[in-house]
Coordinates of all heavy atoms in Angstrom, one line a residue:
G402 N 23.1 89.8 128.4 CA 24.0 90.6 127.6 C 23.4 91.1 126.4 O 22.2 90.9 126.1
P403 N 24.1 91.9 125.6 CA 23.5 92.5 124.4 C 23.3 91.4 123.3 O 23.9 90.3 123.4 CB 24.6 93.5 123.9 CG 25.9 93.0 124.5 CD 25.5 92.3 125.8
N404 N 22.4 91.6 122.4 CA 22.1 90.7 121.3 C 21.6 89.3 121.9 O 22.0 88.3 121.3 CB 23.3 90.5 120.4 CG 23.6 91.8 119.7 OD1 22.7 92.5 119.2 ND2 24.9 92.1 119.5
V405 N 20.9 89.3 123.0 CA 20.4 88.1 123.6 C 18.9 88.1 123.6 O 18.3 89.1 123.9 CB 20.9 87.9 125.0 CG1 20.2 86.7 125.7 CG2 22.4 87.7 125.1
R406 N 18.3 87.0 123.2 CA 16.8 86.8 123.3 C 16.6 85.5 124.0 O 17.0 84.4 123.6 CB 16.2 86.8 121.9 CG 14.6 86.6 122.0 CD 13.9 86.9 120.7 NE 12.5 86.8 120.8 CZ 11.7 85.8 120.5 NH1 12.3 84.7 120.0 NH2 10.4 85.8 120.7
N407 N 16.0 85.6 125.2 CA 15.6 84.5 126.0 C 14.2 84.2 125.8 O 13.3 85.0 126.0 CB 15.9 84.8 127.5 CG 17.4 84.9 127.8 OD1 18.2 84.1 127.3 ND2 17.8 86.0 128.5
V408 N 13.9 82.9 125.5 CA 12.5 82.5 125.1 C 12.1 81.4 126.1 O 12.8 80.4 126.2 CB 12.4 82.0 123.7 CG1 11.0 81.6 123.3 CG2 12.9 83.1 122.7
L409 N 10.9 81.5 126.7 CA 10.3 80.4 127.4 C 9.1 79.9 126.6 O 8.2 80.6 126.2 CB 9.8 80.9 128.8 CG 9.2 79.8 129.7 CD1 10.2 78.8 130.1 CD2 8.5 80.4 130.9
L410 N 9.2 78.6 126.3 CA 8.2 78.0 125.4 C 6.8 78.3 125.9 O 5.8 78.5 125.1 CB 8.4 76.5 125.3 CG 9.4 75.9 124.3 CD1 9.3 74.4 124.2 CD2 9.2 76.5 122.9
Q411 N 6.5 78.2 127.2 CA 5.2 78.3 127.7 C 4.7 79.8 127.6 O 3.5 80.0 127.7 CB 5.1 77.9 129.2 CG 5.2 76.3 129.3 CD 6.6 75.8 129.0 OE1 7.6 76.4 129.3 NE2 6.6 74.6 128.4
D412 N 5.6 80.7 127.4 CA 5.1 82.1 127.1 C 4.5 82.2 125.6 O 3.7 83.1 125.3 CB 6.2 83.1 127.2 CG 6.6 83.3 128.7 OD1 5.8 83.0 129.5 OD2 7.7 83.8 128.9
L413 N 5.0 81.3 124.8 CA 4.5 81.2 123.4 C 3.3 80.3 123.2 O 2.4 80.6 122.5 CB 5.6 80.8 122.5 CG 7.0 81.5 122.5 CD1 8.0 80.8 121.7 CD2 6.7 83.0 122.1
C414 N 3.3 79.2 124.0 CA 2.2 78.3 123.9 C 2.1 77.6 125.3 O 2.8 76.7 125.7 CB 2.5 77.2 122.9 SG 1.2 75.9 122.9
P415 N 1.1 78.1 126.1 CA 1.0 77.6 127.5 C 0.7 76.1 127.5 O 0.9 75.4 128.6 CB -0.2 78.4 128.0 CG -0.2 79.6 127.2 CD 0.2 79.2 125.9
L416 N 0.2 75.5 126.4 CA -0.1 74.1 126.4 C 1.1 73.2 126.1 O 1.0 72.0 126.2 CB -1.2 73.9 125.3 CG -2.5 74.6 125.5 CD1 -3.4 74.3 124.2 CD2 -3.2 74.2 126.7
D417 N 2.2 73.8 125.8 CA 3.4 73.0 125.5 C 3.9 72.4 126.8 O 4.3 73.1 127.8 CB 4.5 73.9 124.9 CG 5.6 73.1 124.2 OD1 6.1 72.1 124.8 OD2 5.9 73.4 123.1
L418 N 4.0 71.0 126.9 CA 4.4 70.3 128.0 C 5.8 69.7 127.9 O 6.2 68.9 128.7 CB 3.4 69.2 128.4 CG 2.0 69.6 128.6 CD1 1.1 68.4 128.9 CD2 1.9 70.6 129.8
S419 N 6.6 70.1 126.8 CA 7.8 69.4 126.6 C 8.8 69.6 127.8 O 8.9 70.7 128.4 CB 8.5 70.0 125.3 OG 7.9 69.5 124.2
E420 N 9.6 68.5 128.0 CA 10.6 68.6 129.0 C 12.0 68.7 128.3 O 12.0 69.0 127.2 CB 10.5 67.4 130.0 CG 10.1 66.1 129.4 CD 11.0 65.5 128.3 OE1 12.2 65.3 128.6 OE2 10.6 65.4 127.2
H421 N 13.0 68.3 129.0 CA 14.4 68.6 128.5 C 14.7 67.8 127.2 O 15.3 68.4 126.3 CB 15.4 68.1 129.6 CG 16.8 68.5 129.2 ND1 17.4 69.7 129.3 CD2 17.8 67.7 128.7 CE1 18.6 69.7 128.9 NE2 18.9 68.5 128.5
V422 N 14.3 66.6 127.1 CA 14.6 65.8 125.9 C 13.7 66.2 124.7 O 14.2 66.5 123.6 CB 14.5 64.3 126.1 CG1 14.7 63.5 124.8 CG2 15.6 63.9 127.1
A423 N 12.4 66.3 125.0 CA 11.5 66.6 123.9 C 11.7 68.0 123.2 O 11.5 68.1 122.0 CB 10.0 66.5 124.4
I424 N 12.1 69.0 124.0 CA 12.2 70.3 123.4 C 13.3 70.3 122.3 O 13.1 71.1 121.4 CB 12.5 71.3 124.5 CG1 12.5 72.8 124.0 CG2 13.9 71.1 125.2 CD1 12.8 73.8 125.0
G425 N 14.3 69.5 122.4 CA 15.3 69.5 121.4 C 15.1 68.5 120.3 O 15.8 68.6 119.3
T426 N 14.3 67.5 120.5 CA 14.2 66.4 119.6 C 12.9 66.3 118.7 O 12.9 65.9 117.6 CB 14.4 65.0 120.3 OG1 13.4 64.9 121.3 CG2 15.8 64.9 120.9
I427 N 11.8 66.8 119.3 CA 10.5 66.6 118.6 C 9.6 67.8 118.7 O 8.5 67.7 118.1 CB 9.8 65.3 119.1 CG1 9.5 65.4 120.6 CG2 10.5 64.1 118.7 CD1 8.7 64.2 121.1
D428 N 9.9 68.8 119.4 CA 9.0 69.9 119.7 C 9.0 70.9 118.5 O 9.9 71.7 118.4 CB 9.3 70.6 121.0 CG 8.2 71.6 121.4 OD1 7.7 72.3 120.5 OD2 7.9 71.6 122.6
R429 N 7.9 70.9 117.7 CA 7.9 71.7 116.5 C 7.7 73.2 116.8 O 7.9 74.1 116.0 CB 6.9 71.2 115.5 CG 7.3 69.9 114.9 CD 6.3 69.3 113.9 NE 6.2 70.2 112.7 CZ 6.9 70.0 111.6 NH1 7.8 69.1 111.6 NH2 6.7 70.8 110.6

Side-chain angles (χ1 to χ4, degrees):
N404 296 320
V405 171
R406 182 167 184 259
N407 294 312
V408 179
L409 183 64
L410 277 188
Q411 285 71 35
D412 288 341
L413 305 175
C414 176
L416 299 176
D417 195 314
L418 302 179
S419 285
E420 35 62 61
H421 184 78
V422 174
I424 187 178
T426 56
I427 57 176
D428 191 315
R429 290 179 68 88

